[in-house]
Amino acid sequence: MVNQSSPVGFLLLGFSEHPHLEKVLFVVVLCSYFLTLLGNTLILLLSTLDPRLHSPMYFFLSNLSFLDLCFTTTCVPQMLFNLWGSTKTISFLGCFVQLFIFMSLGTAECILLTVMAFDRYVAVCQPLHYATIIHPRLCRQLAGVAWAIGLVQSIVQTPPTLRLPFCPHRQIDDFLCEVPSLIRLSCGDTTYNEIQMAVASIFIVVVPLSLILVSYGAIAKAVLRMRSAKGRRKAFGTCSSHLIVVTLFYSSVIAVYLQPKNPYAQERGKFFGLFYAVGTPTLNPLVYTLRNKEVKRALWKLLGKDGDSEES
C-alpha cells in the first residue's frame, strides 16, 4: 500500500468506461457551468441593486447563490479537464483542497436550506411577528452558523479521510474527490471513517431534512386554514420555489451518501453526484427566477423595462 501521507496523486476514473459519453457530458457540464455563473451572478446582482429585494428571504437566497458559485467552481474546471482529455489525474494536494472546500460548501448548503425553511415558516405561520423575529442581525447570525458548521464539518472529516491507506492503483471511481469514493479506495480498515460518515450524514442530511419537512408540515396546515384563495396562492408561491430546490438537492445528496453498497448503486451514485454538483446549482436560479414575481420584476427593471407591465 502507498503511504497515505505521500504526495502521490489520484486517478479520477469518472465515466472513462463510457468514452462516447464523456464528450457529451463535457458539453452538458460546460453549458451548465455557464448557466450557473450567469444565473447565480444575476441573482446576486438583483438582490444588491433592487431595494425591494432587501429582505431576509433574498438575503438567504444571495447566500445560496454565492455558495452555489463556489460549489461548482470547486469541481467543474477539474471535471471538464478530465472529460475532454486523456489525462485524468489530480494531485494529492488538489484532492485535499477539492474535498475540503466541496464538503464545507455542501454542508453549508444543507444548513442554509434549513434556515430558509425556517424563514418561510415564520413568514407564513407568524406573519405579524415576522419582522420582529427575522431581523437583520438574526439573518447574519443564521447565515454565519451555516457557513461555520460547513467549515467545522470539513475540518473534522477531511484529514481522517485522506489519512486512509489507499490501494496502490490510486484509482477513484468518481469524477471528483468525495468521502464515499475515497473510503472505497482504501485497502485498510475503514470502520472509523464509515461510522464518522454515517454520523455526519445523520446530523448534516437527515436532521436538517427532518426540520424542513416539519416546517413545511406546519406551513401546509396554516395554508389550509386560510380562508382567502389569494392568500393561499401567495403562500404557495412564496414556498414552492424553495421546496423545489430542497427536493432537487436532498434527493441527489441522499442517493450519493446514503446509498447501499453494490456496484449498481455506486454507478448510479456517480450520476446523482454529477447532478447535485452541477445540475442543482444551475437549476436553483432558474427556479427562483421563473417562479418568483419579485425577482422577475427586478430583472425587467435591470433590463430597462417596466416590470409591472411585463408581469401583466
Side-chain angles (χ1 to χ4, degrees), residues 72-107:
T72 51
T73 302
T74 302
C75 62
V76 168
Q78 177 74 46
M79 195 186 307
L80 290 172
F81 179 78
N82 290 350
L83 286 171
W84 184 257
S86 57
T87 303
K88 302 181 185 300
T89 57
I90 183 171
S91 67
F92 184 87
L93 178 60
C95 186
F96 175 86
V97 172
Q98 187 182 75
L99 177 64
F100 186 91
I101 298 176
F102 195 77
M103 185 182 299
S104 176
L105 296 176
T107 301

PDB file of all heavy atoms in Angstrom, residues 72-107:
ATOM      1  N   THR A  72     -19.736  24.912  -7.485  1.00  0.00           N
ATOM      2  CA  THR A  72     -19.452  24.371  -8.817  1.00  0.00           C
ATOM      3  C   THR A  72     -18.027  24.678  -9.265  1.00  0.00           C
ATOM      4  O   THR A  72     -17.387  23.850  -9.905  1.00  0.00           O
ATOM      5  CB  THR A  72     -20.435  24.934  -9.859  1.00  0.00           C
ATOM      6  OG1 THR A  72     -20.462  26.352  -9.763  1.00  0.00           O
ATOM      7  CG2 THR A  72     -21.826  24.409  -9.643  1.00  0.00           C
ATOM      8  N   THR A  73     -17.526  25.855  -8.904  1.00  0.00           N
ATOM      9  CA  THR A  73     -16.173  26.230  -9.318  1.00  0.00           C
ATOM     10  C   THR A  73     -15.124  25.330  -8.669  1.00  0.00           C
ATOM     11  O   THR A  73     -14.020  25.163  -9.201  1.00  0.00           O
ATOM     12  CB  THR A  73     -15.910  27.707  -8.969  1.00  0.00           C
ATOM     13  OG1 THR A  73     -16.901  28.518  -9.613  1.00  0.00           O
ATOM     14  CG2 THR A  73     -14.537  28.154  -9.428  1.00  0.00           C
ATOM     15  N   THR A  74     -15.474  24.720  -7.534  1.00  0.00           N
ATOM     16  CA  THR A  74     -14.558  23.807  -6.859  1.00  0.00           C
ATOM     17  C   THR A  74     -14.291  22.554  -7.680  1.00  0.00           C
ATOM     18  O   THR A  74     -13.184  22.028  -7.667  1.00  0.00           O
ATOM     19  CB  THR A  74     -15.148  23.388  -5.490  1.00  0.00           C
ATOM     20  OG1 THR A  74     -15.372  24.548  -4.705  1.00  0.00           O
ATOM     21  CG2 THR A  74     -14.210  22.457  -4.750  1.00  0.00           C
ATOM     22  N   CYS A  75     -15.305  22.086  -8.399  1.00  0.00           N
ATOM     23  CA  CYS A  75     -15.154  20.792  -9.068  1.00  0.00           C
ATOM     24  C   CYS A  75     -15.252  20.836 -10.590  1.00  0.00           C
ATOM     25  O   CYS A  75     -14.662  19.995 -11.273  1.00  0.00           O
ATOM     26  CB  CYS A  75     -16.201  19.815  -8.529  1.00  0.00           C
ATOM     27  SG  CYS A  75     -17.908  20.316  -8.838  1.00  0.00           S
ATOM     28  N   VAL A  76     -15.989  21.792 -11.160  1.00  0.00           N
ATOM     29  CA  VAL A  76     -16.261  21.760 -12.601  1.00  0.00           C
ATOM     30  C   VAL A  76     -15.001  21.936 -13.462  1.00  0.00           C
ATOM     31  O   VAL A  76     -14.836  21.191 -14.443  1.00  0.00           O
ATOM     32  CB  VAL A  76     -17.343  22.801 -12.976  1.00  0.00           C
ATOM     33  CG1 VAL A  76     -17.420  22.991 -14.488  1.00  0.00           C
ATOM     34  CG2 VAL A  76     -18.700  22.355 -12.449  1.00  0.00           C
ATOM     35  N   PRO A  77     -14.102  22.887 -13.176  1.00  0.00           N
ATOM     36  CA  PRO A  77     -12.906  23.002 -14.041  1.00  0.00           C
ATOM     37  C   PRO A  77     -12.110  21.701 -14.126  1.00  0.00           C
ATOM     38  O   PRO A  77     -11.698  21.297 -15.228  1.00  0.00           O
ATOM     39  CB  PRO A  77     -12.099  24.117 -13.356  1.00  0.00           C
ATOM     40  CG  PRO A  77     -13.141  24.953 -12.674  1.00  0.00           C
ATOM     41  CD  PRO A  77     -14.154  23.984 -12.185  1.00  0.00           C
ATOM     42  N   GLN A  78     -11.903  21.030 -12.988  1.00  0.00           N
ATOM     43  CA  GLN A  78     -11.199  19.747 -12.995  1.00  0.00           C
ATOM     44  C   GLN A  78     -11.989  18.702 -13.772  1.00  0.00           C
ATOM     45  O   GLN A  78     -11.438  17.900 -14.534  1.00  0.00           O
ATOM     46  CB  GLN A  78     -10.989  19.272 -11.551  1.00  0.00           C
ATOM     47  CG  GLN A  78     -10.333  17.900 -11.414  1.00  0.00           C
ATOM     48  CD  GLN A  78      -8.850  17.923 -11.729  1.00  0.00           C
ATOM     49  OE1 GLN A  78      -8.141  18.806 -11.268  1.00  0.00           O
ATOM     50  NE2 GLN A  78      -8.384  16.962 -12.505  1.00  0.00           N
ATOM     51  N   MET A  79     -13.298  18.718 -13.597  1.00  0.00           N
ATOM     52  CA  MET A  79     -14.172  17.772 -14.286  1.00  0.00           C
ATOM     53  C   MET A  79     -14.094  17.958 -15.802  1.00  0.00           C
ATOM     54  O   MET A  79     -14.008  16.981 -16.557  1.00  0.00           O
ATOM     55  CB  MET A  79     -15.609  17.964 -13.792  1.00  0.00           C
ATOM     56  CG  MET A  79     -16.564  16.830 -14.149  1.00  0.00           C
ATOM     57  SD  MET A  79     -18.259  17.222 -13.676  1.00  0.00           S
ATOM     58  CE  MET A  79     -18.044  17.653 -11.955  1.00  0.00           C
ATOM     59  N   LEU A  80     -14.133  19.202 -16.260  1.00  0.00           N
ATOM     60  CA  LEU A  80     -14.052  19.491 -17.690  1.00  0.00           C
ATOM     61  C   LEU A  80     -12.709  19.039 -18.265  1.00  0.00           C
ATOM     62  O   LEU A  80     -12.642  18.483 -19.365  1.00  0.00           O
ATOM     63  CB  LEU A  80     -14.251  20.986 -17.940  1.00  0.00           C
ATOM     64  CG  LEU A  80     -15.661  21.530 -17.703  1.00  0.00           C
ATOM     65  CD1 LEU A  80     -15.661  23.055 -17.787  1.00  0.00           C
ATOM     66  CD2 LEU A  80     -16.649  20.941 -18.711  1.00  0.00           C
ATOM     67  N   PHE A  81     -11.654  19.277 -17.508  1.00  0.00           N
ATOM     68  CA  PHE A  81     -10.316  18.870 -17.929  1.00  0.00           C
ATOM     69  C   PHE A  81     -10.249  17.354 -18.107  1.00  0.00           C
ATOM     70  O   PHE A  81      -9.688  16.843 -19.093  1.00  0.00           O
ATOM     71  CB  PHE A  81      -9.290  19.331 -16.895  1.00  0.00           C
ATOM     72  CG  PHE A  81      -7.878  18.942 -17.221  1.00  0.00           C
ATOM     73  CD1 PHE A  81      -7.138  19.640 -18.167  1.00  0.00           C
ATOM     74  CD2 PHE A  81      -7.277  17.868 -16.577  1.00  0.00           C
ATOM     75  CE1 PHE A  81      -5.829  19.272 -18.463  1.00  0.00           C
ATOM     76  CE2 PHE A  81      -5.984  17.496 -16.866  1.00  0.00           C
ATOM     77  CZ  PHE A  81      -5.252  18.203 -17.816  1.00  0.00           C
ATOM     78  N   ASN A  82     -10.831  16.618 -17.156  1.00  0.00           N
ATOM     79  CA  ASN A  82     -10.798  15.158 -17.213  1.00  0.00           C
ATOM     80  C   ASN A  82     -11.698  14.597 -18.315  1.00  0.00           C
ATOM     81  O   ASN A  82     -11.371  13.596 -18.942  1.00  0.00           O
ATOM     82  CB  ASN A  82     -11.222  14.564 -15.865  1.00  0.00           C
ATOM     83  CG  ASN A  82     -10.188  14.810 -14.783  1.00  0.00           C
ATOM     84  OD1 ASN A  82      -9.079  15.248 -15.062  1.00  0.00           O
ATOM     85  ND2 ASN A  82     -10.544  14.551 -13.540  1.00  0.00           N
ATOM     86  N   LEU A  83     -12.849  15.239 -18.522  1.00  0.00           N
ATOM     87  CA  LEU A  83     -13.781  14.747 -19.539  1.00  0.00           C
ATOM     88  C   LEU A  83     -13.236  14.946 -20.952  1.00  0.00           C
ATOM     89  O   LEU A  83     -13.489  14.135 -21.843  1.00  0.00           O
ATOM     90  CB  LEU A  83     -15.138  15.459 -19.406  1.00  0.00           C
ATOM     91  CG  LEU A  83     -16.025  15.052 -18.229  1.00  0.00           C
ATOM     92  CD1 LEU A  83     -17.214  15.992 -18.109  1.00  0.00           C
ATOM     93  CD2 LEU A  83     -16.504  13.617 -18.373  1.00  0.00           C
ATOM     94  N   TRP A  84     -12.481  16.022 -21.164  1.00  0.00           N
ATOM     95  CA  TRP A  84     -12.013  16.350 -22.514  1.00  0.00           C
ATOM     96  C   TRP A  84     -10.743  15.603 -22.895  1.00  0.00           C
ATOM     97  O   TRP A  84     -10.593  15.153 -24.030  1.00  0.00           O
ATOM     98  CB  TRP A  84     -11.785  17.843 -22.643  1.00  0.00           C
ATOM     99  CG  TRP A  84     -11.395  18.268 -24.025  1.00  0.00           C
ATOM    100  CD1 TRP A  84     -10.157  18.608 -24.487  1.00  0.00           C
ATOM    101  CD2 TRP A  84     -12.268  18.347 -25.157  1.00  0.00           C
ATOM    102  NE1 TRP A  84     -10.194  18.919 -25.816  1.00  0.00           N
ATOM    103  CE2 TRP A  84     -11.495  18.764 -26.261  1.00  0.00           C
ATOM    104  CE3 TRP A  84     -13.634  18.105 -25.341  1.00  0.00           C
ATOM    105  CZ2 TRP A  84     -12.040  18.950 -27.527  1.00  0.00           C
ATOM    106  CZ3 TRP A  84     -14.176  18.289 -26.609  1.00  0.00           C
ATOM    107  CH2 TRP A  84     -13.372  18.711 -27.677  1.00  0.00           C
ATOM    108  N   GLY A  85      -9.836  15.468 -21.947  1.00  0.00           N
ATOM    109  CA  GLY A  85      -8.531  14.889 -22.262  1.00  0.00           C
ATOM    110  C   GLY A  85      -8.372  13.473 -21.755  1.00  0.00           C
ATOM    111  O   GLY A  85      -9.230  12.910 -21.068  1.00  0.00           O
ATOM    112  N   SER A  86      -7.241  12.888 -22.099  1.00  0.00           N
ATOM    113  CA  SER A  86      -6.937  11.524 -21.653  1.00  0.00           C
ATOM    114  C   SER A  86      -6.324  11.508 -20.258  1.00  0.00           C
ATOM    115  O   SER A  86      -6.367  10.499 -19.566  1.00  0.00           O
ATOM    116  CB  SER A  86      -5.966  10.866 -22.654  1.00  0.00           C
ATOM    117  OG  SER A  86      -4.781  11.646 -22.787  1.00  0.00           O
ATOM    118  N   THR A  87      -5.747  12.631 -19.844  1.00  0.00           N
ATOM    119  CA  THR A  87      -5.162  12.729 -18.508  1.00  0.00           C
ATOM    120  C   THR A  87      -6.260  13.006 -17.492  1.00  0.00           C
ATOM    121  O   THR A  87      -6.974  14.002 -17.585  1.00  0.00           O
ATOM    122  CB  THR A  87      -4.113  13.861 -18.458  1.00  0.00           C
ATOM    123  OG1 THR A  87      -3.117  13.632 -19.452  1.00  0.00           O
ATOM    124  CG2 THR A  87      -3.470  13.918 -17.089  1.00  0.00           C
ATOM    125  N   LYS A  88      -6.390  12.113 -16.519  1.00  0.00           N
ATOM    126  CA  LYS A  88      -7.474  12.234 -15.546  1.00  0.00           C
ATOM    127  C   LYS A  88      -6.937  12.219 -14.120  1.00  0.00           C
ATOM    128  O   LYS A  88      -7.595  11.738 -13.194  1.00  0.00           O
ATOM    129  CB  LYS A  88      -8.481  11.096 -15.746  1.00  0.00           C
ATOM    130  CG  LYS A  88      -9.071  11.057 -17.153  1.00  0.00           C
ATOM    131  CD  LYS A  88     -10.080   9.952 -17.337  1.00  0.00           C
ATOM    132  CE  LYS A  88     -10.541   9.869 -18.785  1.00  0.00           C
ATOM    133  NZ  LYS A  88     -11.176  11.106 -19.267  1.00  0.00           N
ATOM    134  N   THR A  89      -5.760  12.757 -13.947  1.00  0.00           N
ATOM    135  CA  THR A  89      -5.128  12.734 -12.635  1.00  0.00           C
ATOM    136  C   THR A  89      -5.434  14.004 -11.849  1.00  0.00           C
ATOM    137  O   THR A  89      -5.765  15.051 -12.416  1.00  0.00           O
ATOM    138  CB  THR A  89      -3.599  12.608 -12.763  1.00  0.00           C
ATOM    139  OG1 THR A  89      -3.101  13.689 -13.569  1.00  0.00           O
ATOM    140  CG2 THR A  89      -3.218  11.280 -13.397  1.00  0.00           C
ATOM    141  N   ILE A  90      -5.323  13.878 -10.542  1.00  0.00           N
ATOM    142  CA  ILE A  90      -5.420  15.029  -9.636  1.00  0.00           C
ATOM    143  C   ILE A  90      -4.378  14.814  -8.550  1.00  0.00           C
ATOM    144  O   ILE A  90      -4.187  13.702  -8.063  1.00  0.00           O
ATOM    145  CB  ILE A  90      -6.839  15.163  -9.042  1.00  0.00           C
ATOM    146  CG1 ILE A  90      -6.922  16.426  -8.168  1.00  0.00           C
ATOM    147  CG2 ILE A  90      -7.249  13.925  -8.248  1.00  0.00           C
ATOM    148  CD1 ILE A  90      -8.348  16.749  -7.710  1.00  0.00           C
ATOM    149  N   SER A  91      -3.654  15.854  -8.207  1.00  0.00           N
ATOM    150  CA  SER A  91      -2.604  15.736  -7.203  1.00  0.00           C
ATOM    151  C   SER A  91      -3.212  15.489  -5.822  1.00  0.00           C
ATOM    152  O   SER A  91      -4.405  15.731  -5.591  1.00  0.00           O
ATOM    153  CB  SER A  91      -1.758  17.011  -7.170  1.00  0.00           C
ATOM    154  OG  SER A  91      -2.539  18.111  -6.701  1.00  0.00           O
ATOM    155  N   PHE A  92      -2.381  15.016  -4.906  1.00  0.00           N
ATOM    156  CA  PHE A  92      -2.846  14.782  -3.543  1.00  0.00           C
ATOM    157  C   PHE A  92      -3.330  16.098  -2.922  1.00  0.00           C
ATOM    158  O   PHE A  92      -4.391  16.148  -2.288  1.00  0.00           O
ATOM    159  CB  PHE A  92      -1.720  14.187  -2.687  1.00  0.00           C
ATOM    160  CG  PHE A  92      -2.145  13.827  -1.293  1.00  0.00           C
ATOM    161  CD1 PHE A  92      -2.701  12.587  -1.017  1.00  0.00           C
ATOM    162  CD2 PHE A  92      -2.003  14.738  -0.248  1.00  0.00           C
ATOM    163  CE1 PHE A  92      -3.108  12.256   0.270  1.00  0.00           C
ATOM    164  CE2 PHE A  92      -2.406  14.420   1.034  1.00  0.00           C
ATOM    165  CZ  PHE A  92      -2.956  13.179   1.297  1.00  0.00           C
ATOM    166  N   LEU A  93      -2.562  17.173  -3.136  1.00  0.00           N
ATOM    167  CA  LEU A  93      -2.952  18.481  -2.612  1.00  0.00           C
ATOM    168  C   LEU A  93      -4.241  18.965  -3.261  1.00  0.00           C
ATOM    169  O   LEU A  93      -5.137  19.491  -2.590  1.00  0.00           O
ATOM    170  CB  LEU A  93      -1.830  19.503  -2.852  1.00  0.00           C
ATOM    171  CG  LEU A  93      -2.119  20.940  -2.389  1.00  0.00           C
ATOM    172  CD1 LEU A  93      -2.377  20.981  -0.891  1.00  0.00           C
ATOM    173  CD2 LEU A  93      -0.961  21.872  -2.775  1.00  0.00           C
ATOM    174  N   GLY A  94      -4.349  18.762  -4.588  1.00  0.00           N
ATOM    175  CA  GLY A  94      -5.569  19.163  -5.284  1.00  0.00           C
ATOM    176  C   GLY A  94      -6.782  18.408  -4.770  1.00  0.00           C
ATOM    177  O   GLY A  94      -7.863  18.983  -4.610  1.00  0.00           O
ATOM    178  N   CYS A  95      -6.608  17.128  -4.501  1.00  0.00           N
ATOM    179  CA  CYS A  95      -7.695  16.312  -3.957  1.00  0.00           C
ATOM    180  C   CYS A  95      -8.077  16.796  -2.569  1.00  0.00           C
ATOM    181  O   CYS A  95      -9.266  16.883  -2.241  1.00  0.00           O
ATOM    182  CB  CYS A  95      -7.272  14.839  -3.922  1.00  0.00           C
ATOM    183  SG  CYS A  95      -8.579  13.698  -3.423  1.00  0.00           S
ATOM    184  N   PHE A  96      -7.082  17.131  -1.757  1.00  0.00           N
ATOM    185  CA  PHE A  96      -7.344  17.629  -0.400  1.00  0.00           C
ATOM    186  C   PHE A  96      -8.139  18.931  -0.452  1.00  0.00           C
ATOM    187  O   PHE A  96      -9.147  19.079   0.252  1.00  0.00           O
ATOM    188  CB  PHE A  96      -6.017  17.853   0.336  1.00  0.00           C
ATOM    189  CG  PHE A  96      -6.177  18.475   1.695  1.00  0.00           C
ATOM    190  CD1 PHE A  96      -6.412  17.687   2.809  1.00  0.00           C
ATOM    191  CD2 PHE A  96      -6.103  19.855   1.856  1.00  0.00           C
ATOM    192  CE1 PHE A  96      -6.573  18.254   4.071  1.00  0.00           C
ATOM    193  CE2 PHE A  96      -6.268  20.437   3.102  1.00  0.00           C
ATOM    194  CZ  PHE A  96      -6.501  19.633   4.217  1.00  0.00           C
ATOM    195  N   VAL A  97      -7.693  19.858  -1.294  1.00  0.00           N
ATOM    196  CA  VAL A  97      -8.366  21.158  -1.397  1.00  0.00           C
ATOM    197  C   VAL A  97      -9.791  20.983  -1.913  1.00  0.00           C
ATOM    198  O   VAL A  97     -10.738  21.574  -1.384  1.00  0.00           O
ATOM    199  CB  VAL A  97      -7.563  22.113  -2.310  1.00  0.00           C
ATOM    200  CG1 VAL A  97      -8.358  23.384  -2.586  1.00  0.00           C
ATOM    201  CG2 VAL A  97      -6.227  22.458  -1.666  1.00  0.00           C
ATOM    202  N   GLN A  98      -9.945  20.149  -2.950  1.00  0.00           N
ATOM    203  CA  GLN A  98     -11.271  19.926  -3.529  1.00  0.00           C
ATOM    204  C   GLN A  98     -12.215  19.299  -2.510  1.00  0.00           C
ATOM    205  O   GLN A  98     -13.361  19.735  -2.346  1.00  0.00           O
ATOM    206  CB  GLN A  98     -11.159  19.027  -4.757  1.00  0.00           C
ATOM    207  CG  GLN A  98     -12.469  18.875  -5.515  1.00  0.00           C
ATOM    208  CD  GLN A  98     -12.340  17.949  -6.703  1.00  0.00           C
ATOM    209  OE1 GLN A  98     -12.279  16.725  -6.541  1.00  0.00           O
ATOM    210  NE2 GLN A  98     -12.287  18.517  -7.904  1.00  0.00           N
ATOM    211  N   LEU A  99     -11.742  18.267  -1.821  1.00  0.00           N
ATOM    212  CA  LEU A  99     -12.569  17.593  -0.816  1.00  0.00           C
ATOM    213  C   LEU A  99     -12.945  18.538   0.314  1.00  0.00           C
ATOM    214  O   LEU A  99     -14.110  18.589   0.746  1.00  0.00           O
ATOM    215  CB  LEU A  99     -11.827  16.374  -0.261  1.00  0.00           C
ATOM    216  CG  LEU A  99     -12.536  15.595   0.859  1.00  0.00           C
ATOM    217  CD1 LEU A  99     -13.829  14.989   0.346  1.00  0.00           C
ATOM    218  CD2 LEU A  99     -11.616  14.517   1.418  1.00  0.00           C
ATOM    219  N   PHE A 100     -11.972  19.316   0.790  1.00  0.00           N
ATOM    220  CA  PHE A 100     -12.208  20.217   1.916  1.00  0.00           C
ATOM    221  C   PHE A 100     -13.258  21.273   1.567  1.00  0.00           C
ATOM    222  O   PHE A 100     -14.225  21.480   2.310  1.00  0.00           O
ATOM    223  CB  PHE A 100     -10.896  20.898   2.317  1.00  0.00           C
ATOM    224  CG  PHE A 100     -11.008  21.740   3.552  1.00  0.00           C
ATOM    225  CD1 PHE A 100     -10.760  21.196   4.800  1.00  0.00           C
ATOM    226  CD2 PHE A 100     -11.357  23.085   3.485  1.00  0.00           C
ATOM    227  CE1 PHE A 100     -10.869  21.967   5.956  1.00  0.00           C
ATOM    228  CE2 PHE A 100     -11.474  23.864   4.619  1.00  0.00           C
ATOM    229  CZ  PHE A 100     -11.228  23.295   5.861  1.00  0.00           C
ATOM    230  N   ILE A 101     -13.071  21.936   0.422  1.00  0.00           N
ATOM    231  CA  ILE A 101     -13.995  23.014   0.042  1.00  0.00           C
ATOM    232  C   ILE A 101     -15.356  22.449  -0.336  1.00  0.00           C
ATOM    233  O   ILE A 101     -16.400  22.973   0.060  1.00  0.00           O
ATOM    234  CB  ILE A 101     -13.406  23.839  -1.121  1.00  0.00           C
ATOM    235  CG1 ILE A 101     -12.106  24.511  -0.690  1.00  0.00           C
ATOM    236  CG2 ILE A 101     -14.408  24.882  -1.594  1.00  0.00           C
ATOM    237  CD1 ILE A 101     -11.402  25.265  -1.807  1.00  0.00           C
ATOM    238  N   PHE A 102     -15.370  21.345  -1.099  1.00  0.00           N
ATOM    239  CA  PHE A 102     -16.623  20.756  -1.566  1.00  0.00           C
ATOM    240  C   PHE A 102     -17.477  20.299  -0.381  1.00  0.00           C
ATOM    241  O   PHE A 102     -18.687  20.538  -0.333  1.00  0.00           O
ATOM    242  CB  PHE A 102     -16.318  19.576  -2.484  1.00  0.00           C
ATOM    243  CG  PHE A 102     -17.497  19.113  -3.297  1.00  0.00           C
ATOM    244  CD1 PHE A 102     -17.902  19.822  -4.412  1.00  0.00           C
ATOM    245  CD2 PHE A 102     -18.185  17.962  -2.954  1.00  0.00           C
ATOM    246  CE1 PHE A 102     -18.985  19.403  -5.171  1.00  0.00           C
ATOM    247  CE2 PHE A 102     -19.263  17.534  -3.703  1.00  0.00           C
ATOM    248  CZ  PHE A 102     -19.666  18.250  -4.814  1.00  0.00           C
ATOM    249  N   MET A 103     -16.838  19.656   0.593  1.00  0.00           N
ATOM    250  CA  MET A 103     -17.576  19.183   1.760  1.00  0.00           C
ATOM    251  C   MET A 103     -18.069  20.346   2.612  1.00  0.00           C
ATOM    252  O   MET A 103     -19.200  20.339   3.121  1.00  0.00           O
ATOM    253  CB  MET A 103     -16.693  18.260   2.608  1.00  0.00           C
ATOM    254  CG  MET A 103     -17.419  17.620   3.788  1.00  0.00           C
ATOM    255  SD  MET A 103     -16.323  16.605   4.771  1.00  0.00           S
ATOM    256  CE  MET A 103     -15.829  15.406   3.545  1.00  0.00           C
ATOM    257  N   SER A 104     -17.226  21.361   2.768  1.00  0.00           N
ATOM    258  CA  SER A 104     -17.617  22.528   3.551  1.00  0.00           C
ATOM    259  C   SER A 104     -18.821  23.231   2.948  1.00  0.00           C
ATOM    260  O   SER A 104     -19.794  23.556   3.642  1.00  0.00           O
ATOM    261  CB  SER A 104     -16.430  23.498   3.646  1.00  0.00           C
ATOM    262  OG  SER A 104     -16.795  24.675   4.327  1.00  0.00           O
ATOM    263  N   LEU A 105     -18.796  23.434   1.631  1.00  0.00           N
ATOM    264  CA  LEU A 105     -19.891  24.135   0.960  1.00  0.00           C
ATOM    265  C   LEU A 105     -21.149  23.276   0.889  1.00  0.00           C
ATOM    266  O   LEU A 105     -22.268  23.783   1.026  1.00  0.00           O
ATOM    267  CB  LEU A 105     -19.457  24.550  -0.446  1.00  0.00           C
ATOM    268  CG  LEU A 105     -18.312  25.560  -0.521  1.00  0.00           C
ATOM    269  CD1 LEU A 105     -17.911  25.806  -1.974  1.00  0.00           C
ATOM    270  CD2 LEU A 105     -18.695  26.874   0.140  1.00  0.00           C
ATOM    271  N   GLY A 106     -20.981  21.966   0.686  1.00  0.00           N
ATOM    272  CA  GLY A 106     -22.134  21.070   0.656  1.00  0.00           C
ATOM    273  C   GLY A 106     -22.852  21.041   1.992  1.00  0.00           C
ATOM    274  O   GLY A 106     -24.093  21.078   2.051  1.00  0.00           O
ATOM    275  N   THR A 107     -22.085  20.993   3.076  1.00  0.00           N
ATOM    276  CA  THR A 107     -22.675  21.019   4.418  1.00  0.00           C
ATOM    277  C   THR A 107     -23.365  22.353   4.677  1.00  0.00           C
ATOM    278  O   THR A 107     -24.478  22.398   5.214  1.00  0.00           O
ATOM    279  CB  THR A 107     -21.580  20.785   5.480  1.00  0.00           C
ATOM    280  OG1 THR A 107     -20.954  19.520   5.240  1.00  0.00           O
ATOM    281  CG2 THR A 107     -22.167  20.798   6.877  1.00  0.00           C
TER     282      THR A 107
END
